[in-house]
Amino acid sequence: MTTTPENGGSTLTDERVEEQTDYRYDAGDHEKFSHYAPKDKIMQAMIEGTPVRALCGKLWVPSRDPSRFPVCPVCKDIYENVVQNDDPS
């Protein structure tokens, strides 16, 4: 639908947005560190190209060799002090 300038209007458009999952990436240092996340989730994210949430809360799509980057200090701390302490073995 379009209105003409004589009516003091503007152009209205019918926008159709395809339904998709809204992935929001956290700003910051997610490019500088390798993060900890469940292995099965990382593998799925690498295959499908979908984001995964790290222990520190960062949302990212794994695509690089993690050995090239230092480990995220927050992920490491959470893993060492929470995850390993919860492991019954």
Side-chain angles (χ1 to χ4, degrees):
M1 176 177 154
T2 305
T3 59
T4 60
E6 297 84 39
N7 294 334
S10 60
T11 302
L12 299 176
T13 58
D14 180 21
E15 293 185 25
R16 295 181 186 182
V17 179
E18 290 183 29
E19 189 175 328
Q20 66 182 34
T21 304
D22 181 23
Y23 294 120
R24 296 193 180 162
Y25 296 89
D26 294 331
D29 59 11
H30 64 280
E31 296 287 329
K32 299 177 187 174
F33 294 111
S34 56
H35 294 278
Y36 290 173
K39 284 184 182 181
D40 60 328
K41 301 251 185 220
I42 291 175
M43 289 303 296
Q44 180 181 3
M46 290 181 83
I47 293 168
E48 296 176 2
T50 56
V52 65
R53 180 80 55 190
L55 289 178
C56 68
K58 294 288 183 186
L59 184 66
W60 94 108
V61 177
S63 61
R64 300 181 187 163
D65 178 8
S67 65
R68 293 181 37 214
F69 300 94
V71 174
C72 168
V74 176
C75 283
K76 184 176 181 180
D77 183 57
I78 291 170
Y79 181 77
E80 290 175 349
N81 294 309
V82 177
V83 176
Q84 285 186 336
N85 290 338
D86 288 346
D87 189 11
S89 55

Coordinates of all heavy atoms in Angstrom, one line a residue:
M1 N 0.8 -1.2 0.0 CA 0.0 0.0 0.0 C 0.9 1.2 0.0 O 1.8 1.3 0.7 CB -0.9 0.0 1.2 CG -1.7 1.2 1.4 SD -2.7 0.9 2.9 CE -3.0 2.6 3.3
T2 N 0.6 2.2 -0.8 CA 1.4 3.4 -0.9 C 0.5 4.6 -0.8 O -0.6 4.7 -1.3 CB 2.1 3.5 -2.3 OG1 2.9 2.3 -2.4 CG2 3.0 4.7 -2.3
T3 N 0.9 5.6 0.0 CA 0.2 6.9 0.1 C 0.9 7.9 -0.7 O 2.2 7.8 -0.8 CB 0.0 7.3 1.6 OG1 1.3 7.5 2.1 CG2 -0.8 6.3 2.4
T4 N 0.3 8.8 -1.2 CA 0.9 9.8 -2.0 C 1.3 11.0 -1.2 O 0.8 11.3 -0.1 CB -0.1 10.3 -3.1 OG1 -1.2 10.9 -2.5 CG2 -0.4 9.2 -4.1
P5 N 2.4 11.8 -1.6 CA 2.8 12.9 -0.9 C 1.7 14.0 -0.6 O 1.8 14.7 0.3 CB 4.0 13.5 -1.7 CG 4.4 12.3 -2.5 CD 3.2 11.5 -2.7
E6 N 0.8 14.0 -1.5 CA -0.3 15.0 -1.4 C -1.1 14.7 -0.1 O -1.6 15.7 0.5 CB -1.3 15.0 -2.5 CG -0.7 15.3 -3.9 CD 0.0 14.2 -4.6 OE1 -0.6 13.0 -4.5 OE2 1.0 14.3 -5.1
N7 N -1.1 13.5 0.3 CA -1.8 13.2 1.6 C -0.9 13.3 2.8 O -1.3 13.0 3.9 CB -2.4 11.8 1.5 CG -3.4 11.6 0.4 OD1 -4.1 12.6 0.1 ND2 -3.6 10.4 -0.1
G8 N 0.3 13.8 2.6 CA 1.2 14.0 3.7 C 1.8 12.7 4.2 O 2.3 12.7 5.3
G9 N 1.7 11.7 3.4 CA 2.1 10.4 3.9 C 3.5 10.0 3.4 O 4.2 10.7 2.9
S10 N 3.7 8.7 3.6 CA 5.0 8.1 3.2 C 4.6 6.8 2.6 O 3.5 6.4 2.5 CB 6.0 8.0 4.3 OG 5.4 7.2 5.3
T11 N 5.6 6.1 2.2 CA 5.4 4.8 1.6 C 5.3 3.7 2.7 O 6.2 3.6 3.5 CB 6.6 4.4 0.6 OG1 6.6 5.4 -0.4 CG2 6.4 3.1 0.0
L12 N 4.3 2.9 2.6 CA 4.2 1.8 3.5 C 4.5 0.5 2.8 O 4.1 0.4 1.6 CB 2.7 1.7 4.1 CG 2.2 2.9 4.9 CD1 0.8 2.7 5.2 CD2 3.0 3.1 6.1
T13 N 5.2 -0.3 3.4 CA 5.6 -1.6 2.7 C 5.1 -2.7 3.6 O 5.0 -2.7 4.8 CB 7.1 -1.7 2.5 OG1 7.7 -1.6 3.7 CG2 7.6 -0.6 1.5
D14 N 4.8 -3.8 2.9 CA 4.4 -5.0 3.6 C 5.7 -5.9 3.7 O 6.2 -6.4 2.7 CB 3.4 -5.8 2.8 CG 2.9 -7.1 3.4 OD1 3.1 -7.2 4.6 OD2 2.4 -7.9 2.7
E15 N 6.3 -5.9 4.9 CA 7.5 -6.7 5.1 C 7.2 -8.1 5.6 O 6.4 -8.2 6.6 CB 8.4 -6.0 6.1 CG 8.9 -4.7 5.5 CD 9.9 -4.1 6.5 OE1 10.6 -4.8 7.3 OE2 10.1 -2.8 6.4
R16 N 7.7 -9.1 5.0 CA 7.6 -10.4 5.5 C 8.9 -10.9 5.9 O 9.9 -10.9 5.2 CB 7.0 -11.3 4.3 CG 5.6 -10.9 3.9 CD 5.1 -11.7 2.9 NE 3.8 -11.1 2.5 CZ 3.0 -11.6 1.6 NH1 3.3 -12.7 1.0 NH2 1.9 -11.0 1.3
V17 N 8.9 -11.4 7.1 CA 10.2 -11.9 7.7 C 10.0 -13.4 7.9 O 9.1 -13.9 8.4 CB 10.4 -11.2 9.1 CG1 11.7 -11.8 9.7 CG2 10.5 -9.7 8.9
E18 N 11.0 -14.1 7.3 CA 11.0 -15.5 7.5 C 11.3 -15.9 9.0 O 12.1 -15.2 9.6 CB 12.1 -16.2 6.6 CG 11.8 -16.1 5.2 CD 12.9 -16.8 4.4 OE1 13.5 -17.8 4.9 OE2 13.1 -16.4 3.2
E19 N 10.6 -16.9 9.5 CA 10.8 -17.3 10.8 C 12.1 -18.0 11.0 O 12.4 -18.9 10.2 CB 9.7 -18.2 11.3 CG 9.7 -18.5 12.7 CD 8.5 -19.3 13.2 OE1 7.4 -19.2 12.6 OE2 8.7 -20.1 14.1
Q20 N 12.9 -17.5 11.9 CA 14.2 -18.2 12.1 C 14.6 -17.9 13.6 O 14.0 -17.1 14.2 CB 15.3 -17.6 11.2 CG 15.7 -16.2 11.4 CD 16.7 -15.7 10.5 OE1 16.7 -16.2 9.3 NE2 17.6 -14.8 10.9
T21 N 15.5 -18.7 14.1 CA 16.0 -18.5 15.4 C 16.8 -17.3 15.5 O 17.6 -17.0 14.7 CB 16.8 -19.8 15.9 OG1 16.0 -20.9 15.7 CG2 17.2 -19.7 17.3
D22 N 16.6 -16.5 16.6 CA 17.3 -15.3 16.8 C 18.6 -15.6 17.6 O 18.5 -15.8 18.8 CB 16.5 -14.3 17.5 CG 17.2 -12.9 17.7 OD1 18.1 -12.6 17.0 OD2 16.8 -12.2 18.7
Y23 N 19.8 -15.6 16.9 CA 21.0 -15.8 17.6 C 21.7 -14.4 17.8 O 21.9 -13.7 16.9 CB 22.0 -16.7 16.7 CG 21.5 -18.1 16.5 CD1 21.2 -18.5 15.3 CD2 21.3 -18.9 17.6 CE1 20.8 -19.8 15.1 CE2 20.8 -20.2 17.5 CZ 20.6 -20.7 16.2 OH 20.1 -21.9 16.0
R24 N 21.9 -14.1 19.0 CA 22.6 -12.9 19.3 C 24.0 -13.2 19.9 O 24.1 -14.0 20.8 CB 21.8 -12.1 20.4 CG 20.5 -11.7 19.8 CD 19.8 -10.7 20.6 NE 18.6 -10.4 19.9 CZ 17.5 -9.9 20.4 NH1 17.6 -9.5 21.6 NH2 16.4 -9.7 19.7
Y25 N 25.0 -12.6 19.3 CA 26.4 -12.8 19.7 C 26.8 -11.8 20.7 O 26.5 -10.6 20.6 CB 27.3 -12.8 18.5 CG 27.0 -13.9 17.5 CD1 26.1 -13.7 16.5 CD2 27.6 -15.1 17.6 CE1 25.8 -14.7 15.6 CE2 27.3 -16.1 16.7 CZ 26.4 -15.9 15.7 OH 26.1 -16.9 14.9
D26 N 27.4 -12.3 21.8 CA 27.9 -11.4 22.8 C 29.1 -10.6 22.2 O 30.0 -11.1 21.6 CB 28.3 -12.1 24.0 CG 27.2 -12.8 24.7 OD1 26.0 -12.3 24.6 OD2 27.4 -13.8 25.3
A27 N 29.1 -9.3 22.6 CA 30.3 -8.5 22.2 C 31.4 -8.8 23.1 O 31.3 -9.3 24.2 CB 29.9 -7.0 22.3
G28 N 32.6 -8.6 22.7 CA 33.8 -8.8 23.5 C 34.8 -9.7 23.0 O 35.1 -9.7 21.8
D29 N 35.4 -10.4 23.9 CA 36.6 -11.2 23.6 C 36.4 -12.6 23.1 O 37.4 -13.3 23.1 CB 37.5 -11.2 24.8 CG 36.8 -11.8 26.0 OD1 35.8 -12.4 25.8 OD2 37.4 -11.7 27.1
H30 N 35.2 -12.9 22.6 CA 35.0 -14.3 22.2 C 35.9 -14.7 21.0 O 36.1 -15.9 20.8 CB 33.5 -14.6 21.8 CG 33.0 -13.8 20.7 ND1 32.7 -12.5 20.8 CD2 32.9 -14.1 19.4 CE1 32.3 -12.0 19.6 NE2 32.4 -13.0 18.7
E31 N 36.5 -13.8 20.3 CA 37.4 -14.1 19.2 C 38.8 -14.3 19.7 O 39.6 -14.9 19.0 CB 37.4 -12.9 18.2 CG 36.1 -12.7 17.5 CD 35.8 -13.7 16.5 OE1 36.7 -14.3 15.9 OE2 34.6 -14.0 16.3
K32 N 39.1 -14.0 20.9 CA 40.5 -14.0 21.4 C 40.8 -15.3 22.3 O 41.9 -15.5 22.6 CB 40.8 -12.8 22.3 CG 40.6 -11.5 21.6 CD 40.9 -10.4 22.6 CE 40.6 -9.0 21.9 NZ 40.6 -7.9 22.8
F33 N 39.7 -16.0 22.7 CA 39.9 -17.2 23.5 C 39.3 -18.4 22.9 O 38.3 -18.3 22.1 CB 39.3 -16.9 24.9 CG 40.0 -15.9 25.7 CD1 39.3 -14.7 25.9 CD2 41.2 -16.1 26.2 CE1 39.9 -13.7 26.7 CE2 41.9 -15.1 27.0 CZ 41.2 -13.9 27.2
S34 N 39.7 -19.6 23.4 CA 39.0 -20.8 23.1 C 38.2 -21.1 24.4 O 38.6 -20.9 25.5 CB 39.9 -22.0 22.8 OG 40.9 -22.2 23.8
H35 N 36.9 -21.5 24.2 CA 36.0 -21.6 25.3 C 35.6 -23.1 25.5 O 35.8 -23.9 24.7 CB 34.7 -20.8 25.0 CG 34.9 -19.4 24.9 ND1 35.0 -18.6 26.0 CD2 35.1 -18.5 23.8 CE1 35.2 -17.3 25.6 NE2 35.3 -17.3 24.3
Y36 N 35.2 -23.3 26.8 CA 34.7 -24.6 27.1 C 33.2 -24.7 26.9 O 32.5 -23.8 27.3 CB 35.0 -24.9 28.6 CG 36.5 -25.1 29.0 CD1 36.9 -25.2 30.3 CD2 37.5 -25.2 28.0 CE1 38.2 -25.4 30.6 CE2 38.8 -25.4 28.3 CZ 39.1 -25.5 29.6 OH 40.4 -25.7 30.0
A37 N 32.8 -25.8 26.4 CA 31.4 -26.1 26.2 C 31.2 -27.6 26.0 O 32.3 -28.3 25.8 CB 30.8 -25.4 24.9
P38 N 30.1 -28.2 26.2 CA 29.9 -29.7 26.0 C 30.4 -30.1 24.6 O 30.0 -29.5 23.6 CB 28.4 -29.9 26.2 CG 28.0 -28.8 27.1 CD 28.8 -27.6 26.6
K39 N 31.2 -31.2 24.6 CA 31.7 -31.7 23.3 C 30.6 -32.0 22.3 O 30.8 -31.6 21.1 CB 32.5 -32.9 23.5 CG 33.9 -32.7 24.1 CD 34.7 -34.0 24.2 CE 36.0 -33.7 24.9 NZ 36.8 -35.0 25.0
D40 N 29.5 -32.6 22.7 CA 28.5 -32.9 21.7 C 27.9 -31.6 21.2 O 27.5 -31.6 20.0 CB 27.4 -33.8 22.4 CG 26.7 -33.2 23.6 OD1 27.4 -32.4 24.3 OD2 25.5 -33.5 23.8
K41 N 27.7 -30.6 22.0 CA 27.2 -29.3 21.5 C 28.2 -28.6 20.5 O 27.8 -28.1 19.5 CB 26.9 -28.4 22.6 CG 25.9 -29.0 23.6 CD 24.6 -28.3 23.5 CE 23.7 -28.8 24.6 NZ 22.4 -29.0 24.2
I42 N 29.5 -28.7 20.8 CA 30.5 -28.1 19.9 C 30.5 -28.8 18.6 O 30.5 -28.2 17.5 CB 31.9 -28.2 20.6 CG1 31.9 -27.2 21.8 CG2 32.9 -27.8 19.6 CD1 33.2 -27.2 22.6
M43 N 30.4 -30.2 18.6 CA 30.4 -30.9 17.3 C 29.2 -30.6 16.5 O 29.3 -30.3 15.3 CB 30.5 -32.4 17.6 CG 31.8 -32.9 18.2 SD 33.2 -32.5 17.0 CE 32.8 -33.5 15.6
Q44 N 28.1 -30.5 17.2 CA 26.8 -30.2 16.5 C 26.9 -28.8 15.9 O 26.5 -28.6 14.7 CB 25.6 -30.3 17.4 CG 24.3 -30.0 16.8 CD 23.2 -30.1 17.8 OE1 23.3 -30.3 18.9 NE2 22.0 -29.9 17.3
A45 N 27.4 -27.8 16.6 CA 27.6 -26.5 16.2 C 28.5 -26.4 15.0 O 28.3 -25.6 14.1 CB 28.0 -25.6 17.3
M46 N 29.6 -27.1 15.0 CA 30.6 -27.1 13.9 C 30.0 -27.7 12.7 O 30.2 -27.2 11.6 CB 31.8 -27.9 14.3 CG 32.7 -27.1 15.4 SD 34.2 -28.0 15.8 CE 35.2 -27.5 14.5
I47 N 29.2 -28.7 12.8 CA 28.5 -29.3 11.6 C 27.4 -28.5 11.1 O 27.4 -28.2 9.9 CB 28.0 -30.7 12.0 CG1 29.2 -31.7 12.3 CG2 27.1 -31.3 10.9 CD1 28.8 -33.0 13.0
E48 N 26.6 -28.0 11.9 CA 25.4 -27.2 11.5 C 25.7 -25.7 11.4 O 24.8 -25.0 10.8 CB 24.3 -27.4 12.5 CG 23.8 -28.9 12.5 CD 22.7 -29.1 13.5 OE1 22.3 -28.2 14.2 OE2 22.3 -30.3 13.7
G49 N 26.8 -25.2 11.9 CA 27.1 -23.8 11.8 C 26.2 -23.0 12.8 O 26.0 -21.8 12.5
T50 N 25.7 -23.6 13.8 CA 24.9 -22.9 14.8 C 25.7 -22.5 16.0 O 26.6 -23.2 16.3 CB 23.7 -23.7 15.2 OG1 24.1 -25.0 15.7 CG2 22.7 -24.0 14.0
P51 N 25.3 -21.5 16.7 CA 26.0 -21.1 17.9 C 25.9 -22.0 19.1 O 24.9 -22.8 19.2 CB 25.4 -19.7 18.3 CG 24.6 -19.3 17.1 CD 24.3 -20.5 16.4
V52 N 26.9 -22.0 19.9 CA 26.9 -22.8 21.2 C 27.2 -21.9 22.3 O 27.9 -20.9 22.1 CB 27.9 -24.0 21.1 CG1 29.3 -23.5 21.0 CG2 27.7 -24.9 22.2
R53 N 26.7 -22.1 23.5 CA 26.9 -21.3 24.7 C 28.1 -21.9 25.5 O 28.0 -23.1 25.9 CB 25.7 -21.2 25.5 CG 25.7 -20.4 26.8 CD 25.6 -18.9 26.6 NE 24.4 -18.6 25.9 CZ 24.2 -17.3 25.6 NH1 25.1 -16.4 25.8 NH2 23.1 -17.0 25.0
A54 N 29.1 -21.1 25.7 CA 30.3 -21.6 26.5 C 29.9 -21.5 28.0 O 28.9 -20.9 28.4 CB 31.4 -20.7 26.2
L55 N 30.8 -22.1 28.8 CA 30.6 -22.1 30.3 C 30.5 -20.7 30.8 O 29.8 -20.4 31.7 CB 31.7 -22.9 31.0 CG 31.7 -24.4 30.8 CD1 32.9 -25.0 31.6 CD2 30.4 -25.0 31.3
C56 N 31.3 -19.8 30.2 CA 31.3 -18.4 30.6 C 30.1 -17.6 30.2 O 30.0 -16.5 30.6 CB 32.6 -17.8 30.2 SG 32.7 -17.5 28.4
G57 N 29.3 -18.2 29.3 CA 28.1 -17.5 28.9 C 28.2 -16.9 27.5 O 27.3 -16.5 26.9
K58 N 29.4 -16.9 26.9 CA 29.6 -16.4 25.5 C 28.9 -17.3 24.5 O 28.9 -18.6 24.7 CB 31.1 -16.4 25.1 CG 31.9 -15.4 25.9 CD 31.6 -14.0 25.5 CE 32.5 -13.0 26.3 NZ 32.1 -11.7 26.0
L59 N 28.3 -16.7 23.5 CA 27.6 -17.4 22.5 C 28.4 -17.2 21.2 O 28.7 -16.1 20.8 CB 26.2 -16.8 22.3 CG 25.3 -17.5 21.2 CD1 25.0 -18.9 21.7 CD2 24.1 -16.7 21.0
W60 N 28.9 -18.4 20.6 CA 29.7 -18.3 19.4 C 29.6 -19.5 18.6 O 29.0 -20.5 19.0 CB 31.2 -18.1 19.9 CG 32.0 -19.3 20.0 CD1 33.0 -19.7 19.1 CD2 32.0 -20.3 21.0 NE1 33.6 -20.9 19.6 CE2 33.0 -21.3 20.7 CE3 31.2 -20.5 22.1 CZ2 33.2 -22.4 21.5 CZ3 31.4 -21.7 22.9 CH2 32.4 -22.6 22.5
V61 N 30.0 -19.4 17.3 CA 30.0 -20.5 16.4 C 31.4 -21.0 16.3 O 32.3 -20.3 15.8 CB 29.5 -20.1 15.0 CG1 29.6 -21.3 14.0 CG2 28.1 -19.6 15.1
P62 N 31.7 -22.2 16.8 CA 33.0 -22.8 16.7 C 33.4 -23.0 15.2 O 32.7 -23.6 14.5 CB 33.0 -24.1 17.4 CG 31.6 -24.3 17.8 CD 30.8 -23.1 17.4
S63 N 34.6 -22.4 14.8 CA 35.0 -22.5 13.5 C 36.5 -22.5 13.3 O 37.0 -22.7 12.2 CB 34.4 -21.4 12.6 OG 34.9 -20.1 13.1
R64 N 37.2 -22.3 14.4 CA 38.7 -22.2 14.3 C 39.3 -23.3 15.2 O 38.7 -23.9 16.1 CB 39.1 -20.9 14.8 CG 38.6 -19.7 13.9 CD 39.1 -18.4 14.4 NE 38.4 -17.4 13.7 CZ 38.3 -16.1 14.1 NH1 38.9 -15.8 15.2 NH2 37.7 -15.2 13.4
D65 N 40.6 -23.5 15.0 CA 41.3 -24.5 15.8 C 41.5 -23.9 17.2 O 42.2 -22.9 17.3 CB 42.7 -24.7 15.1 CG 43.6 -25.7 15.9 OD1 43.1 -26.3 16.9 OD2 44.7 -25.8 15.5
P66 N 40.9 -24.5 18.2 CA 41.0 -23.9 19.5 C 42.4 -23.9 20.2 O 42.7 -23.1 21.1 CB 40.0 -24.7 20.4 CG 39.9 -26.0 19.6 CD 40.1 -25.7 18.2
S67 N 43.2 -24.8 19.6 CA 44.6 -24.8 20.2 C 45.4 -23.6 19.8 O 46.5 -23.4 20.4 CB 45.3 -26.1 19.7 OG 45.5 -26.0 18.3
R68 N 44.9 -22.8 18.9 CA 45.7 -21.6 18.5 C 45.4 -20.4 19.5 O 46.0 -19.4 19.3 CB 45.2 -21.2 17.1 CG 45.7 -22.1 16.0 CD 45.3 -21.7 14.6 NE 45.4 -20.3 14.4 CZ 44.5 -19.6 13.7 NH1 43.6 -20.2 13.0 NH2 44.7 -18.3 13.5
F69 N 44.5 -20.6 20.4 CA 44.1 -19.5 21.3 C 44.3 -19.9 22.8 O 44.1 -21.1 23.1 CB 42.7 -19.1 21.0 CG 42.4 -18.6 19.6 CD1 42.0 -19.5 18.7 CD2 42.7 -17.3 19.2 CE1 41.7 -19.1 17.4 CE2 42.4 -16.9 17.9 CZ 42.0 -17.8 17.0
P70 N 44.5 -18.9 23.6 CA 44.5 -19.3 25.1 C 43.1 -19.6 25.5 O 42.1 -19.1 25.0 CB 45.0 -18.0 25.7 CG 44.7 -16.9 24.8 CD 44.7 -17.5 23.4
V71 N 43.0 -20.4 26.6 CA 41.8 -20.8 27.2 C 41.1 -19.6 27.9 O 41.8 -18.9 28.6 CB 41.9 -22.0 28.1 CG1 40.6 -22.3 28.8 CG2 42.4 -23.2 27.4
C72 N 39.8 -19.4 27.7 CA 39.1 -18.4 28.4 C 39.3 -18.6 29.9 O 39.0 -19.6 30.4 CB 37.6 -18.5 28.0 SG 36.5 -17.4 29.0
P73 N 39.7 -17.6 30.6 CA 40.0 -17.7 32.0 C 38.7 -18.0 32.8 O 38.7 -18.7 33.8 CB 40.6 -16.4 32.5 CG 40.4 -15.4 31.3 CD 40.2 -16.2 30.1
V74 N 37.6 -17.4 32.4 CA 36.3 -17.6 33.1 C 35.8 -19.1 32.9 O 35.4 -19.7 33.8 CB 35.2 -16.6 32.6 CG1 33.9 -16.9 33.2 CG2 35.7 -15.2 32.9
C75 N 35.9 -19.6 31.6 CA 35.5 -20.9 31.3 C 36.4 -21.9 32.2 O 35.9 -22.9 32.8 CB 35.7 -21.3 29.9 SG 34.4 -20.7 28.8
K76 N 37.7 -21.6 32.2 CA 38.6 -22.5 32.9 C 38.3 -22.5 34.4 O 38.3 -23.6 35.0 CB 40.1 -22.0 32.7 CG 41.1 -22.9 33.3 CD 42.5 -22.4 32.9 CE 43.5 -23.4 33.5 NZ 44.9 -22.9 33.2
D77 N 38.0 -21.4 35.0 CA 37.7 -21.3 36.4 C 36.4 -22.0 36.7 O 36.3 -22.8 37.7 CB 37.6 -19.8 36.8 CG 37.3 -19.7 38.3 OD1 38.1 -20.2 39.1 OD2 36.3 -19.0 38.6
I78 N 35.4 -21.8 35.9 CA 34.1 -22.5 36.1 C 34.3 -24.0 36.0 O 33.8 -24.8 36.8 CB 33.1 -22.0 35.1 CG1 32.7 -20.6 35.4 CG2 31.8 -23.0 35.1 CD1 31.8 -19.9 34.4
Y79 N 35.1 -24.5 35.0 CA 35.3 -25.9 34.8 C 36.1 -26.5 36.0 O 35.7 -27.5 36.5 CB 36.1 -26.1 33.5 CG 36.3 -27.6 33.2 CD1 35.3 -28.4 32.8 CD2 37.6 -28.2 33.5 CE1 35.5 -29.8 32.5 CE2 37.8 -29.5 33.3 CZ 36.7 -30.3 32.8 OH 36.9 -31.7 32.6
E80 N 37.1 -25.8 36.4 CA 37.9 -26.4 37.5 C 37.3 -26.3 38.8 O 37.4 -27.3 39.6 CB 39.3 -25.6 37.6 CG 40.2 -25.9 36.4 CD 41.4 -25.1 36.4 OE1 41.5 -24.1 37.2 OE2 42.3 -25.3 35.6
N81 N 36.5 -25.3 39.1 CA 35.9 -25.2 40.4 C 34.4 -25.6 40.6 O 34.0 -25.8 41.7 CB 36.0 -23.7 40.9 CG 37.4 -23.3 41.0 OD1 38.2 -23.9 41.7 ND2 37.8 -22.2 40.4
V82 N 33.7 -25.8 39.4 CA 32.4 -26.2 39.5 C 32.1 -27.6 38.8 O 31.7 -28.5 39.5 CB 31.4 -25.1 38.9 CG1 30.0 -25.6 38.9 CG2 31.6 -23.8 39.6
V83 N 32.5 -27.7 37.6 CA 32.2 -28.9 36.8 C 33.0 -30.0 37.4 O 32.4 -31.1 37.6 CB 32.5 -28.6 35.3 CG1 32.3 -29.9 34.5 CG2 31.6 -27.5 34.8
Q84 N 34.3 -29.9 37.6 CA 35.1 -31.0 38.1 C 34.7 -31.4 39.5 O 34.7 -32.6 39.9 CB 36.6 -30.7 38.0 CG 37.1 -30.8 36.7 CD 38.6 -30.6 36.6 OE1 39.2 -30.1 37.5 NE2 39.2 -31.1 35.6
N85 N 34.2 -30.5 40.3 CA 33.8 -30.7 41.7 C 32.5 -31.5 41.7 O 32.2 -32.2 42.7 CB 33.7 -29.5 42.5 CG 35.1 -28.9 42.8 OD1 36.1 -29.6 42.8 ND2 35.1 -27.6 43.1
D86 N 31.7 -31.3 40.7 CA 30.4 -32.0 40.6 C 30.5 -33.4 40.0 O 29.6 -34.2 40.1 CB 29.4 -31.2 39.7 CG 28.9 -30.0 40.3 OD1 29.1 -29.8 41.6 OD2 28.4 -29.1 39.6
D87 N 31.7 -33.7 39.4 CA 31.9 -35.1 38.8 C 32.1 -36.1 39.9 O 33.0 -36.0 40.7 CB 33.2 -35.0 37.9 CG 33.3 -36.3 37.1 OD1 32.4 -37.1 37.1 OD2 34.4 -36.4 36.5
P88 N 31.1 -37.1 40.0 CA 31.2 -38.1 41.1 C 32.3 -39.1 41.0 O 32.6 -39.9 41.9 CB 29.8 -38.8 41.0 CG 29.4 -38.6 39.6 CD 30.0 -37.3 39.2
S89 N 33.0 -39.2 39.8 CA 34.0 -40.2 39.7 C 35.4 -39.9 40.3 O 35.8 -39.1 40.8 CB 34.3 -40.5 38.2 OG 34.6 -39.3 37.5

